[in-house]
Amino acid sequence: MSRLESMRRRLSAQIDGLNWAAEAIGDIGGDVLELGLGNGRTYDHLRQQLPTRRIWVIDRVLQPHPSCVPPEENFLLGEADDMLQELARRGQKFALAHYDFGFGIKDLDVKEGARLSPLIAPLMVSGGLLVSQQPLTGFTKISGPDTIDPERYLFFRAP
Ligand SMILES: C[S@@+](CC[C@H](N)C(=O)[O-])C[C@H]1O[C@@H](n2cnc3c(N)ncnc32)[C@H](O)[C@@H]1O
């Protein structure tokens, strides 16, 4: 598979996965958490699919496409550890979290997902969903949409 084809598969998986999760949370109460703003592509997609939900975003830098800058009051600029603890202090709760942090080095990304999972868990409402390219711990792994290679994108339900 060429890198171009691989990229198309990754983008399709992201779109299908986020669409599936946005629908699957149904009327579960709570906000949405985007972990990793980056260029803002997935944030933009989430706000399109879930226009009535408040979407909080964490990133250590604010460098998205100019059309994808989150409202100031919904953006937490800083390291994930500190920002997740800040959300917990505020008592914020989430029905859906999209985990998109990453160094692009599999071993490090897996370790980071495991390290941050205990800080994400208390923020999730019971039954809330998590969508991630990295394994997360302390959640129940569930099947996502049939169109996605189960190794490419992972889906979890909060206990
Ligand atoms: C792969 S990019 C996100 C891509 C984005 N979701 C998109 O669709 O454009 C990962 C982002 O996570 C941020 N990031 C990674 N690890 C982080 C951490 N521990 N704390 C805060 N931000 C982090 C990086 O700064 C980067 O912008």
Side-chain angles (χ1 to χ4, degrees), residues 26-47:
D27 57 5
I28 295 175
D31 295 342
V32 174
L33 179 59
E34 169 78 330
L35 295 152
L37 177 65
N39 187 270
R41 290 188 192 97
T42 51
Y43 165 69
D44 190 37
H45 194 71
L46 283 168
R47 71 181 175 180

Side-chain angles (χ1 to χ4, degrees), residues 34 36-42 59-61 78-80 100-101 112:
E34 169 78 330
L37 177 65
N39 187 270
R41 290 188 192 97
T42 51
D59 205 303
R60 57 166 67 110
V61 288
E79 286 305 308
D100 205 14
F101 290 149
E112 183 78 342

